[in-house]
Each structure stands twice: as structure tokens, then as C-alpha cells.
Amino acid sequence: MSRSSGFDPTPDSSWQQVWKLRLAPYLWAVLAVAVGIELRSLLTPELKSRLPFITLFPAVFVSAYIAGFGPTVVATLLSIVGALHLFIEPTGSSALADQAARLGVTIFGISGIATGWLGEARLRAHRGARAAADAAEREAARAEQEAIRAEEEAARAEEESARAEEEMLRAEEESARAEQEARRAARESERVERILASITDAFTLLDHSWTITYMNERAAQMAGGKPEDYIGRNHWEAFPATVGTPFEEAYRRAVAGEHPARVTAYYPPRNIWIEVTAYPFTEGLTVVGQDVTQRIHANEVTARLAAIVASSDDAIIGKKLDGTITSWNQAAEEIFGYSAPEMIGNSVYRLIPSELHDSETEALRRVARGEPVEFAEVERIRKDGKRILIALTVSPIKDSAGRVVGVSSIKRDITAQKRIQAELEAETARSRELAQALDVSQALVRDLEGRITYWSSGAARLYGYTAAEAVGRSSHELLQTEFPMPLEELRASLLSAGRWEGEVVHVAKDGRRIHVATQWVLQRRRRDDTPLVTEVNTDVTAQRLIEERVRQTERMEVVGQLAGGVAHEANNQMTVVLGATSFLLGRNDLPTSAIQDLEYIREAAERTAAITAQLLAFSRRQVVQVRVVDLDEVIQGLDGVLRRTLGERSTLVLQLRSNGRVKADPGQLSQVLLNLVLNARDAMPLGGRLAIETRVTELTEGYARQRPGVSIKSGHYAVLAITDTGHGMGPETLSHLFEPFYTTKPIGKGTGLGLATVYGIVKQFGGYVWAYSEVGHGTTFKVYLPLADEIPTLSAVPGPRVQAAGETVLIVEDEPAVRHMTSRALQEFGYAVVEAAGGHQALGILERDEGRVDLLITDVILHGMDGPELARRAKELRPELPVLFISGYTDDEIVRRGLLEAGQPFLQKPFTPEALSNEVAGLLRKRAQVEEDARAAGPG
């Protein structure tokens, strides 16, 4: 490389000088701002509108360092304009809606001007130093020229030795003067070197081959040696850690572009940050560096402190010693309701109740004197006038000389905290009891894999495992946990949220399945600690059992309503079938084959009526003839039937020890026994032993608590227990046992109504029925019937057939077949019959033939006008007219639905002609008796 290559510029023309001296610094400033804006734009996806000047302030700093005050001001203004339009919300506008943004722009502008002023001062000092160096160089050159000239003069003097003595003396004087000038130039050079050695910046000169030609003490100290250790060495060999770093890039950029280049970078060998400016000149490169480690760290600390203050949840307020507020963070705005512009420059006494002004003044005086000030809790006033409690901390603000110039206070709103504290104090006793009970709660502690580290006494009671048996084992395996979702998903939810709540199923030591509501809380005291899970379990098995029984009850109620509706329709049809077959069988002119067919028809109708009765019994809508009976006698009377039903392969054992009387329908009670015995027979296809036992017991409130979900009335009960040695049933079958149409038998082998009918009959008598069974260990049914105090009543003996005495009956029925068969049945017994298909037609008949009708028979549910409404309006016409209601629904169902008052005459379908005739005859006799009593009483 030649001496002048890249460093020896040609003489500048006038316009080039103007360019370099005047315009170039401003263009460099504009370029620096453009680069800063571009860099900030690249960071916008990450920073959004935060830190709008993060890359623009370095641009201002570069302008100050290179160009001085004027270009720095230009760079500052351009940076503000660029930030306003590009990075500060709202973008594209010069308006500043946010007070924090206005404050940031103001601080940036002031900082830019201050930096420009400092840069101008540095630039002037640098120019002075450079001018001094140039002057010294010029003086040295002039001294050299003078020496040459002196030599020339001496030669001339020798050549002109013949000249006069006067010329020789002048030459000697010139020589002396040249020597003096040389000494002065040397002194100037030494002075420049001393100046360079004394300045605080590191100063290094490199020639075109990157050889270090000069290094001051500060530069050597920064490098960790002495100047003589580096002068004369190649820079890249002396400082290999700078190769490939921003330092090398800046040096080469300065050489290539013939303009200064600045860089701030980390220098690992010395663990310091260095700010370097490389200036190209004709002889090589001048490198000026500063150790800016403290400044970098200070900037980081300042940024962190600013972020802490801005993001703090506590109000951090700065104020002068007279109480004038100088700083006001976001939390202060949220706590007191005032914005920063409203408070900065105003007095802090605005926030203080008047009665506390004196104490605040005294506190400020004490801070000014350097005395400690301690506050615990004080009262302050919000913008809305509400008084709040504040936890206050006061600290003095000191200048660089240690003088107190202000006060910093940290305020925390503890109004809600004090309220909560009062509530907590009120709950202290209960909390203490809760803490004492924590050990006995159903809790355990385990790691994420399930290994148990703590097992409470409550958990031991719930599951049956002692702490010694449980600790160290996996809770998931020990308790055979059934999770509602995969365990990995539960673990992920726990790790992300820190807690999980749900319901799982555990298996106790004795095999019981326990439903528990569980809460898992993730605990980790330190970041590197192994996380533990506190698991608190609550036994909700009884609650789930209650819910299941409620659901089962609701299902059975719905099916019961359906069964009642089906029975109603079936009863209507069976009334017609039974009536028609009864009339036909009463004829003497039918062939034997027809009579046999009619018997088959009647038998099928009676079986259908029996099934209907079962449906009504299940739905608890059957008409029953309840009377007091001796339970043991009823069973003893069925002994033969039960043995034949059970079959020869099985043995029946009766143990009747109750001597108990119950209120029940004997027929239905017999049906309960038969259905349970049939169920036992099917469970013992190869034969077995069936025991029927009766006794008396008392159901207490304690027993009722053992049956959650069932309303049990305490008192004395007769117990009917039927135990077989059959194949037994599992939990799934037991859970559906009394549901209608549920059967485990093959298709065609069972209707699924047997046990449902048992359930309905027992419930109708106010009793309870439960089944106990295990697969392979037989089954026991226990029926509980309330004891009755009355004496057993005898069954009524049917009376003789009653013939009519010319009475007229009005039949109102909207089902033609039922109306026809009812009419014919009454005609067979000698009654005159008038038929009506609806209520309005019947009222017309009563109005026209007022004296003919002796009795009204009406269906309860009719189209247009129901039976009760017809009866009411008929009573208005004929107050003494008896009314008999008929319906496929039972009287209890009719009353329950509000269609009929209790105690009114009622006959349920299907009925036989004889039953209808007896009911009609009874009502007519009652009417005749009432009329006779009225005549006997006579007028007056």
C-alpha cells in the first residue's frame, strides 16, 4: 500500500470545502436518523408502540459526536417527527393523546439538545487538539525548510567567501535563528505528545499497514499493558480479539469511506464496553476510545428502575421538600384517580385530609433534617372524595453532594386488605379449628407420578390403608383410580393451571368403590424443587347414590304415567270384550264349539285385564280393597300354591314369626308373594332352597340415614324376607331391578313387569322393598310393610242378583262400543236405558224428560264437557239425581288430577255386568232411603 493510498486527498475546490465543512455534517445526521428509523421499524412487531426512541437516540448521539450542535438539533427534530408519525399512537398523526408519550417526547428533545451541546464541546476540543498537532507539524516542516535554507546560505557563504564580513555575520545569525526554530518545533512536538498522554480518552495512531505508531497511556491501560508493549506491532496481531468484531468493521469502514466511524462494542479480554471513533487522515488512522462500561451498566440500571416504577402496583410519588409533586406513576393514577398532568406541579396536600396537614408538614421537615420518618398506615383522599387507607413508606431524595432535595414516597392502597383482615380476624377461631382438623381431612401429598409422601388419618379412615401401607406407593395403583380423562391430560392441566378439580372413583382396601370430589394443588417451594401435589378428597358416594335413585324414581314415574294411560285404553276395550262374551255365554242356543271359542276370548280378555292390573299396580293407580290382614295367615294360606309354583326340585321353608297385622289388599299381597317366588324359581333352574321369613322390626332415623335418597318414615314394620340359593345378580342388574320391562330372561320368557309390579304394590301400601344379591351367592328380597293396630277384617260376601224395578238410567259415554255394552248390561237387569254420546246431549235429555231419569252414569273424561261438569249442571236441574262416574283411570288418579272429588261414586273399567248392576242398585237404594227419611220427617 502506498503512503497516500486512501488517505491523501487532492486539494478541495471551494464547493467541496463548503460541502465538507457545512453540508456534510447535516447529511450525516439525516442519514443516522434514517438508519435509526429503519432499525426501529424492524423492531415494531416486537415492541409495538413501546420504546419509540430506542434506536433514534443512538442516531442523535452519533450526530452529536461527529457533527456537533446544529446537526444534532436537526437529528433530534427529525427523530421526533419520525416517531410521532410511525411509532407513537396514534400513528400517522402529530397529536399526542397519551401524557406519557408527551413526557417521553419532551425528555427526548431535551436529551437531544443536551447531547448536541456536549458533542459540540467535544468536537471543539478535538478540533483544538488537531489544530495543535497540525501547527506542530507545520512548525517542524518550517524548521526543516529553514535548516535547508541555512545550509544553502552556508554554501552560498562559502562560495561567496569573498563577500564581506557583514554577510557572514548575517548568515550566522540566520543559522542561529533556524536552530532556535527547530528547538521550538521539538518543544511543540513534545507538548502535543504530553497533551495526548494526559487526555482521558484512549488515543492510538495506525499507519497504512495497520502498524501501531503511537499509543497513549490510557489506551495501553485499557488494553491491559504499556504503550511500549504495542507500539510498532501490527494492530490485528496485538489485539486478535477485535478481528471479526464491530471494531474491525468500523476501522475498515473509516478507511474505505474516508470519514469517521463510531462503534460501541464489548471487548471480552478486558470485560469492558468500549466506544471507539476511527478518524482517517493522510498518514493512516486515528483511533479514539472511551471505557463506557459504567455508562452502559448505568443505562441498564436506569431502564430497569424506570420499568419497575412504571409497572409497580404501588403508587411511587416524588415531591419537593415543600410538598410539590415532581413525579407520579401509573399506579398513583389508579389509586388516587388523578392523572399525572393533574398532580405534577401541584401540592401533595391535595391528597391529605385537612386534619393531617400538620403531621405531613412535620414529616417533610424531619426528612429535610435527615431524620428518619416511619409511617405504617395513613388516611388519604381520592379524586372522588372517598377516603382510603394507605400503607406509606418515605425515603429522602439526595443530590450528588448528599444533600436532601426531595422526598420519595411509596403508597399502597390497603383499604380492601384491611377489610379482608377484619374478616379474617373474625374467622380466626374457625381457621384455627380448620388447621387443627387438616391432619384428619381426607388428604394426601404425592409427586407428579403419584408416589405418596404424606397420608392423613382422614385418608386412612376413608380408604382403610394405614400411613405405613400407603406412603411410598403410587396412589393411582393403590386406590385403582378411575379418571374422567387420560391421566396425561390431567397432568398437563395441573401443570399449566397449578390446580385441578374433578371427580374420580377410588377403590378402598375392603373393595368398596368410592366416588370422591378431588382437588389437586401443585406446590413448589423453589424453582428447582420437585413439584408435589396436595390432593384433598371428599367422599360423595352417598350423594351420587341419591342422584341415581332420584333419576331412577323419575324414570319409573314417567313409565308409570305411560302405564296408567295404556291401562285406561285397555280397560275401555276389555269392558266391551268381557261384556259381549258374558252376554253370548248367557245364551242357550250356541253350539259347543262357539261356547268354547267364547271361553277362549273371555280367558284372553281376563289375562289382558290381569296385565292391565299389573301396569296399574306398578304405576300405583290400581283400585285396591285395603283392609287389615295378618301377614303370616296370608302366607300360610298360600303355602300350597307357593310350593306348586316353586316346583318339585326346590325346597320351600317357612319361618313365620311376625304375628304382624298390616293394611293391604290380600289379592295384591298374594301377587307380591307369587312374583317373588317365580323370580326365585327362575334363578334356581336346577333346584335349590327358598326361605320365606317374617318378623317385626323398627326402622329408626339411623337406619334412614344409611339409605340416602330414600324417604323412610321411622316406626314399626312387618318384614317379609324371601331368600333363594340361585345364581345371584351383579351391581348392574341390581341397579335396574325394579324398572318396568327390564328383564335378563330370553325374549318371550318374561315381560319385565313382575318385580316392577312388586315395587308398585309395596309402595302403594306405604312400604319399602330392597334386594340384596351377589353373583353366585343367591338373592334376598326384603319387604317392609307398616304395622296396623286394627283387628283384621273379614272379606265381604257377594249379595244376591238384584233386578230393576222399572228405573230409568241415563248413560253418557263417548266410546260407542262401551256405551252399547253398558246399556245392554243394564237392560239385562231390567233397567230402562237412555243413551247420550256427550254432555250437551245429556243435558238436553234431562231438560226435555225431567221426570223419567232416575240415575246418571257418565264417563269422567268426555269430549266438549267432562263428566264432573255434566254432573254439576245436572244437579242444578235435578238436585236429588244420583250420579255414578266410570273411567278407565282409577279413582285415585282421577282425584289426583283434580277431575273428581274424593268419595264420589266411582266404578273403574273394565267392569262386569253384575258389578255395574250392584253399583247402580246400591245408589238407587240410597236415594230411596233418603226420600223415605224426608217423608218420615214431614213438614215442620
Side-chain angles (χ1 to χ4, degrees), residues 29 69 145 181 197 208 241 307 362 366-367 491 522 524 588 591 612 701 729 804 819 826 858 912:
F69 183 78
Q145 292 174 1
E181 289 293 335
H208 297 293
E362 178 60 26
R366 292 175 60 189
V367 172
R491 187 178 290 118
L522 189 65
R524 181 185 286 148
N588 297 322
T612 302
E701 294 182 359
M729 294 173 285
R819 185 172 68 248
L826 291 175
T858 178
T912 63

Side-chain angles (χ1 to χ4, degrees), residues 573-621:
Q573 304 307 318
M574 289 306 102
T575 299
V576 176
V577 173
L578 289 175
T581 54
S582 178
F583 296 145
L584 291 173
L585 289 173
R587 294 173 54 178
N588 297 322
D589 57 343
L590 295 177
T592 304
S593 59
I595 294 174
Q596 187 176 6
D597 291 340
L598 289 172
E599 290 289 352
Y600 290 150
I601 293 173
R602 183 170 65 178
E603 183 179 350
E606 290 174 348
R607 284 200 302 270
T608 303
I611 294 176
T612 302
Q614 285 187 317
L615 287 173
L616 289 171
F618 158 71
S619 62
R620 286 174 274 168
R621 290 169 171 81

Side-chain angles (χ1 to χ4, degrees), residues 25-26 28-30 33 56-57 59-79 108-120 123:
Y26 289 91
W28 284 118
V30 171
V33 172
L56 295 176
F57 188 82
V60 172
F61 189 87
V62 168
S63 300
Y65 195 95
I66 296 176
F69 183 78
T72 303
V73 173
V74 172
T76 301
L77 293 176
L78 290 176
S79 298
F108 179 81
I110 294 172
S111 301
I113 294 173
T115 304
W117 182 82
L118 294 174
E120 182 68 23
L123 192 59

Side-chain angles (χ1 to χ4, degrees), residues 798-856:
R801 178 185 176 99
V802 179
Q803 286 294 122
E807 295 91 342
T808 300
V809 178
L810 173 59
I811 299 176
V812 186
E813 169 64 61
D814 55 2
E815 184 69 33
V818 177
R819 185 172 68 248
H820 172 72
M821 297 309 300
T822 305
S823 174
R824 182 173 175 183
L826 291 175
Q827 291 172 358
E828 289 286 333
F829 286 93
Y831 294 99
V833 178
V834 179
E835 297 182 17
H840 295 287
Q841 182 183 359
L843 287 177
I845 294 173
L846 290 174
E847 290 172 353
R848 290 191 304 270
D849 303 309
E850 183 176 346
R852 276 182 50 195
V853 177
D854 299 293
L855 177 71
L856 171 64

Side-chain angles (χ1 to χ4, degrees), residues 183-212:
R183 285 197 298 271
R184 186 168 61 253
R187 286 196 300 271
E188 287 294 331
S189 178
E190 292 176 357
R191 188 170 65 86
V192 170
E193 187 172 344
R194 286 196 302 273
I195 291 173
L196 294 175
S198 64
I199 63 176
T200 58
D201 290 350
F203 192 87
T204 305
L205 296 178
L206 306 175
D207 63 12
H208 297 293
S209 62
W210 303 103
T211 299
I212 301 173

Side-chain angles (χ1 to χ4, degrees), residues 81 110 186 188 191 385 414 455 595 695 711 713 715 859 863:
V81 171
I110 294 172
E188 287 294 331
R191 188 170 65 86
I414 60 172
W455 185 264
I595 294 174
R695 56 186 173 84
S711 178
K713 184 178 179 181
D859 197 350
H863 295 293

Side-chain angles (χ1 to χ4, degrees), residues 331-375:
E333 294 186 10
E334 296 174 358
I335 292 176
F336 293 103
Y338 293 100
S339 64
E342 290 179 294
M343 291 306 298
I344 293 178
N346 289 311
S347 175
V348 74
Y349 291 97
R350 189 175 186 178
L351 308 174
I352 302 173
S354 57
E355 65 271 16
L356 299 179
H357 283 188
D358 292 341
S359 62
E360 178 70 13
T361 302
E362 178 60 26
L364 291 175
R365 290 174 181 167
R366 292 175 60 189
V367 172
R369 293 194 297 266
E371 299 177 9
V373 177
E374 296 181 358
F375 282 102

Side-chain angles (χ1 to χ4, degrees), residues 53 77-98 101-103 105-106:
F53 298 107
L77 293 176
L78 290 176
S79 298
I80 292 174
V81 171
L84 284 174
H85 283 78
L86 299 175
F87 310 125
I88 298 178
E89 297 291 341
T91 59
S93 171
S94 60
L96 291 175
D98 185 12
R102 289 197 289 271
L103 180 59
V105 169
T106 302

